[in-house]
Amino acid sequence: MRVRVAITALGITAALLALPACSTDTTGGKHQTSSAARTGKPADAVQKPAALSSAALESRLLDQSDLGSGYLPKPERPAQHDDVTVIGCPALSELGGDAATDGTLAFPHKAKADFTYGSSSEISEELYSDSARKLSDGIDRIFDAMTGCPTYQVVAGGTPVDVTSQKLPSPHASGDEQWSQLLTFTAGGRSTVVKQTAIRDGSLLLIVSGSPALVDRHLDKALAKATSTG
């Protein structure tokens, strides 16, 4: 089964485009595949503050001073209009073109920052704000679709890329709900491992993606700044 989607959710396209420049990630190994982990309270369990504006979210993103030395802002990639073909995944087929738009989720208030570290490592932070229920339902659909198949293939720019996913345990961070997964992209004999962790705290959704070690290193810091009221 084939399905055309504008951009695969949560930055898959960015990972695909980065593959030729990346060396094989030996930390990836072979992973058992499963659905993404979700933990936490239902979105309607506690009433939380109203949604934040995109400008407010922008001010809560990590910057170079937060990350430390060696991190550089990643130049914004020109808008990609080519479709991505997903092969062998009915879950993504059902989600279709609503998966994402221009690499970000379709919530009204959003902000994003991308950084490189060293020669091949990257980390990306995304912040979204909406009602707790909409955030919870939206991110749940995306993670379920992305991990609904043990393995599938993505074709971007004529390059076939094999994708596998692995369920990850809760990162033990605060927040109302959490999702986490490990994606392995393989093309041309090279593999790239991308960790993605999403945390919803009230009307705010944080997604940190990138090299597993960098995600682990900065997740707590990103959540603390994103949820700060100071």
Side-chain angles (χ1 to χ4, degrees), residues 131-180:
S131 72
R133 172 53 63 189
K134 289 181 180 178
L135 291 176
S136 180
D137 290 347
I139 192 65
D140 203 36
R141 288 182 64 228
I142 295 294
F143 266 85
D144 282 350
M146 291 175 67
T147 59
C149 310
T151 61
Y152 53 95
Q153 190 176 75
V154 176
V155 180
T159 302
V161 181
D162 295 321
V163 184
T164 64
S165 60
Q166 179 191 4
K167 174 182 177 179
L168 294 178
S170 163
H172 304 293
S174 59
D176 296 321
E177 292 182 284
Q178 302 174 9
W179 298 257
S180 194

Side-chain angles (χ1 to χ4, degrees), residues 16-219:
L16 300 181
L17 294 173
L19 271 172
C22 296
S23 60
T24 301
D25 190 329
T26 57
T27 64
K30 294 184 178 180
H31 305 295
Q32 295 180 344
T33 56
S34 181
S35 297
R38 175 185 180 178
T39 62
K41 298 176 287 187
D44 54 2
V46 179
Q47 187 66 31
K48 292 286 185 175
L52 297 168
S53 67
S54 295
L57 293 176
E58 189 81 27
S59 68
R60 300 185 182 208
L61 289 169
L62 294 178
D63 55 30
Q64 284 179 277
S65 64
D66 298 314
L67 294 171
S69 61
Y71 291 85
L72 295 174
K74 185 178 178 180
E76 186 174 351
R77 196 181 299 274
Q80 299 291 321
H81 300 292
D82 294 337
D83 285 348
V84 173
T85 303
V86 180
I87 304 172
C89 186
L92 278 177
S93 179
E94 290 176 9
L95 197 61
D98 293 332
T101 302
D102 295 331
T104 57
L105 303 183
F107 296 118
H109 309 292
K110 64 191 73 174
K112 184 177 181 180
D114 298 286
F115 296 91
T116 60
Y117 181 74
S119 60
S120 62
S121 297
E122 298 183 3
I123 185 168
S124 172
E125 180 188 6
E126 299 166 64
L127 290 177
Y128 301 91
S129 190
D130 205 331
S131 72
R133 172 53 63 189
K134 289 181 180 178
L135 291 176
S136 180
D137 290 347
I139 192 65
D140 203 36
R141 288 182 64 228
I142 295 294
F143 266 85
D144 282 350
M146 291 175 67
T147 59
C149 310
T151 61
Y152 53 95
Q153 190 176 75
V154 176
V155 180
T159 302
V161 181
D162 295 321
V163 184
T164 64
S165 60
Q166 179 191 4
K167 174 182 177 179
L168 294 178
S170 163
H172 304 293
S174 59
D176 296 321
E177 292 182 284
Q178 302 174 9
W179 298 257
S180 194
Q181 64 180 335
L182 202 66
L183 298 169
T184 303
F185 304 91
T186 303
R190 295 181 174 180
S191 294
T192 296
V193 179
V194 176
K195 183 173 184 178
Q196 295 178 329
T197 296
I199 300 175
R200 183 188 65 79
D201 187 88
S203 59
L204 186 143
L205 177 68
L206 164 71
I207 301 171
V208 181
S209 310
S211 303
L214 299 187
V215 173
D216 292 342
R217 184 183 305 169
H218 297 293
L219 179 63

